[in-house]
Amino acid sequence: MTTNAGFYTDWNLYANPFSAMPLEADRIGSDLLIGRDQQLKSILFRLKSASAAVCLDGPVGVGKTSLANVAAFRAESDYVHNNDPLFLPCKRAFQIKKDESPDKFQFRILTEIAQTLIEKAPIYRTAGRMDGKYGIEQWLNSPTFTSVNAQIAGIGFGKSTQLNEGAGFSESGFSRLITNWLEQIFPANQQGGVICVLDNLELLETSSTARKTIEHLRDTLFNIRGIRWVLCGANGIINSVVSSQRLVGHIGEPIAIPPLALQEAQIVFDSRQECFKDHTKGGEVYLPMHRDSFHKLYLTVNRNLRQTLSYSDEYCLNVAESG
C-alpha cells in the first residue's frame, strides 16, 4: 500500500494512515482490512469453486475495491502456503471508460495481465507450469514476447510504458500470445487464473449501459481461460447486470457489502495508526484526533469509510498547516 507520508513523518508515522485509496493486493492491505471475514470467505469460495464472475454490490465508498483486492491477495497466499489453485492478482483494477472501444479495452486488460504474468513468473515457474514444449523460457525468449516485454515492463524493472497499438504490432499476435500463455499456465478453470477487478460500474450512469457493456465482455474477455473476474458496483447497477439473460452462467449472484459496523470504524483507526507507526523513531504516534472522533465522523457521513478517511486526512493537513 503506497501512501504519501508528507507531514505525517513529523508525527512518527512513515505513511499517511488516512489514505482513501483502495487497499492494495498485498500484506499491508490484508492486515488493514477490517470486519470483512464473512465476505472474504464468500469471495474466495466462489473464485475457487466456479468460473462465473464474482459480483460485489454495496454503497459508494463502502470498500468494495479494497475487499476485492485483498481477496485476490489471500487467494494467491492460499496457493503459496496451502497448495490451493493458483490465483494471481492483476496489477491494477479496471474501470470501463465510456468513450473507449471494446477492442481498446480488451487490449488494455491484456496488457496489464501481461505485466502480471511477467512479474509473477517465478511463482508458476517453480510450480512447474509451462514446462516442456510450452516452457517459460520459450515464451520469454521468443521474438514476439521480447517485443511485448520491451514495451510493457522489462523483466525486473517494473516500469510501465505505453504499448504500440498500431496495425503492425497488432499483427504480431499480442492478444493471441497472451491468450495462449494463460491457457498454458491455467489449463483448466479449476486451476485458477489472473484475478481482474472491474470497478465502479455505477460510473456508466445507467443500468442499461452497464448491462450492454458486460454483455459484450461475455463474448470476448469472459471467455478467455485463465482470467477470473470480480465486478464491483453501487446504486443497483450489479443487480441490473445479473438480470440479463445473456449473462446467465457468466455472472454470479451479487454478494452484498454493507457498511462497517460503528465499532469497527474505531478498529480501522487503531489498525492504521499501529500499521504506519515508524518504529525506527522513538516516542509515540501523534494524531490530532482520536478513535472516538473518527467513529463520530464515520457516523456523520452515513458510514461512508472513504469519506471518513478523506475528511480525517484533510483535518490533519489543516492542523499541520496551522502549526
Side-chain angles (χ1 to χ4, degrees):
M1 182 178 179
T2 56
T3 58
N4 181 28
F7 59 87
Y8 287 106
T9 57
D10 297 331
W11 297 350
N12 287 341
L13 293 154
Y14 73 84
N16 174 6
F18 299 125
S19 171
M21 298 298 292
L23 300 177
E24 295 182 9
D26 57 18
R27 173 53 57 191
I28 293 178
S30 181
D31 290 343
L32 290 178
L33 189 74
I34 301 298
R36 297 299 188 194
D37 291 347
Q38 185 56 50
Q39 290 91 353
L40 268 175
K41 183 178 179 181
S42 295
I43 295 171
L44 290 172
F45 182 83
R46 297 186 189 195
L47 283 172
K48 297 174 184 180
S49 304
S51 59
V54 178
C55 296
L56 308 183
D57 181 41
V60 172
V62 78
K64 297 183 295 295
T65 308
S66 293
L67 176 57
N69 287 343
V70 171
F73 171 77
R74 297 275 183 94
E76 181 183 15
S77 297
D78 285 346
Y79 166 76
V80 173
H81 299 294
N82 303 325
N83 201 29
D84 280 10
L86 171 61
F87 286 100
L88 304 172
C90 194
K91 285 177 63 67
R92 67 184 66 189
F94 302 97
Q95 292 183 12
I96 298 175
K97 302 174 183 177
K98 288 184 289 186
D99 58 347
E100 186 176 37
S101 71
D103 288 342
K104 282 188 176 291
F105 181 65
Q106 178 167 331
F107 190 84
R108 183 158 60 95
I109 296 285
L110 292 178
T111 299
E112 293 300 334
I113 288 175
Q115 288 263 32
T116 301
L117 295 178
I118 291 170
E119 212 171 80
K120 301 289 186 177
I123 294 178
Y124 52 83
R125 171 188 278 178
T126 302
R129 303 283 180 109
M130 296 183 68
D131 280 345
K133 180 179 178 182
Y134 297 103
I136 182 65
E137 288 81 6
Q138 177 179 337
W139 287 103
L140 296 182
N141 295 327
S142 71
T144 302
F145 191 79
T146 299
S147 174
V148 172
N149 177 50
Q151 295 196 57
I152 340 178
I155 296 175
F157 293 99
K159 296 181 179 178
S160 178
T161 57
Q162 182 65 39
L163 274 170
N164 176 4
E165 298 182 46
F169 188 75
S170 298
E171 290 170 2
S172 70
F174 169 72
S175 294
R176 191 62 218 160
L177 173 70
I178 303 305
T179 300
N180 284 341
W181 196 6
L182 285 165
E183 289 174 352
Q184 298 307 320
I185 300 172
F186 308 102
N189 286 329
Q190 296 80 7
Q191 293 180 288
V194 177
I195 300 175
C196 295
V197 178
L198 190 53
D199 197 14
N200 294 329
L201 287 177
E202 68 275 5
L203 296 180
L204 294 174
E205 296 180 354
T206 67
S207 298
S208 60
T209 301
R211 188 165 57 249
K212 290 178 182 177
T213 303
I214 302 303
E215 285 175 350
H216 178 81
L217 294 179
R218 186 202 75 161
D219 301 321
T220 54
L221 291 168
F222 280 9
N223 283 329
I224 297 178
R225 190 192 309 155
I227 305 179
R228 303 301 302 276
W229 292 93
V230 180
L231 276 52
C232 304
N235 305 328
I237 289 289
I238 288 291
N239 286 322
S240 172
V241 170
V242 170
S243 68
S244 169
Q245 290 300 311
R246 293 196 66 215
L247 294 173
V248 172
H250 295 271
I251 302 289
E253 286 296 316
I255 298 172
I257 311 299
L260 291 176
L262 294 177
Q263 64 270 24
E264 290 169 338
Q266 293 177 312
I267 301 174
V268 168
F269 180 90
D270 294 339
S271 65
R272 287 178 175 241
Q273 180 176 253
E274 179 60 29
C275 178
F276 295 119
K277 180 179 180 179
D278 190 344
H279 293 281
T280 65
K281 297 180 180 180
E284 295 297 317
V285 168
Y286 167 75
L287 283 173
M289 63 187 302
H290 300 283
R291 67 198 308 259
D292 289 342
S293 304
F294 189 84
H295 174 274
K296 291 177 182 178
L297 177 59
Y298 180 65
L299 181 61
T300 301
V301 298
N302 197 28
R303 298 199 292 174
N304 185 310
L305 183 59
R306 184 190 304 164
Q307 285 189 338
T308 305
L309 291 168
S310 179
Y311 289 154
S312 298
D313 184 34
E314 186 175 339
Y315 173 70
C316 290
L317 174 63
N318 289 334
V319 171
E321 281 186 323
S322 71

